[in-house]
Amino acid sequence: MSQTLVLNRFIPYLREKLNALGYQEHDDEFDEDNIAATVIDKSYMIKTRGITSARSSHTTYEWTFPVEVLLWFKGFRKPSDAVDGALESVELVLDEVLDISSRYTVPGLMDVHPSTIDFEPIDAPNDCIIQASVGLTAVIQMLNDKNC
């Protein structure tokens, strides 16, 4: 039996984890600038990057699937509080996303590696808004045993 449609399971996995933590998705994957200020706090956006083939055999294909998860936080009195709060929130997100017991419930999802975490302020009047960028790479295995 062939395992199909495994590449499309990583993004829903991330959405499920972020939604469970109380985040709200900003649906425009290509334009992070059009998010409304009224919903920016604890919003997220998932940007896909180039999926590449890592290795293969006659029945197994392994893919690396990098994504960038953007998280927004607002309402801090000063920038240092914003970074501290955002770092704590990012850590909670990573605890959920990297949890091995839930990761292995997703067919084909072999591993998730964190790669980068970056913070930058967002220029907004009267609000201290920070954007956290979290780089993640999934290792996904696709089985193809149709001709075996």
Side-chain angles (χ1 to χ4, degrees), residues 103-114:
R103 217 176 51 224
Y104 282 165
T105 64
V106 180
L109 183 58
M110 305 306 292
D111 205 354
V112 179
H113 303 281

Side-chain angles (χ1 to χ4, degrees), residues 19-144:
N19 292 341
L21 289 169
Y23 288 85
Q24 179 179 332
E25 184 173 16
H26 173 53
D27 293 327
D28 189 346
E29 181 180 336
F30 302 107
D31 188 4
E32 65 220 49
D33 295 329
N34 73 357
I35 188 167
T38 56
V39 296
I40 199 166
D41 190 36
K42 285 196 84 175
S43 288
Y44 72 91
M45 184 166 96
I46 301 170
K47 293 180 149 189
T48 57
R49 301 296 181 215
I51 301 169
T52 58
S53 176
R55 60 183 164 187
S56 64
S57 69
H58 66 285
T59 59
T60 306
Y61 301 93
E62 190 172 283
W63 300 89
T64 56
F65 190 151
V67 297
E68 178 184 22
V69 179
L70 300 177
L71 304 166
W72 289 280
F73 309 97
K74 81 172 191 175
F76 298 95
R77 292 189 184 266
K78 57 185 182 178
S80 61
D81 290 343
V83 172
D84 292 345
L87 188 55
E88 184 177 312
S89 295
V90 166
E91 230 178 306
L92 293 172
V93 167
L94 289 174
D95 281 347
E96 284 296 312
V97 170
L98 302 177
D99 178 36
I100 196 166
S101 61
S102 63
R103 217 176 51 224
Y104 282 165
T105 64
V106 180
L109 183 58
M110 305 306 292
D111 205 354
V112 179
H113 303 281
S115 57
T116 59
I117 301 172
D118 193 22
F119 301 98
E120 68 179 79
I122 302 298
D123 187 23
N126 301 322
D127 283 324
C128 187
I129 299 174
I130 191 159
Q131 175 182 289
S133 172
V134 180
L136 299 167
T137 301
V139 177
I140 298 173
Q141 189 176 75
M142 184 186 312
L143 302 176
N144 182 4

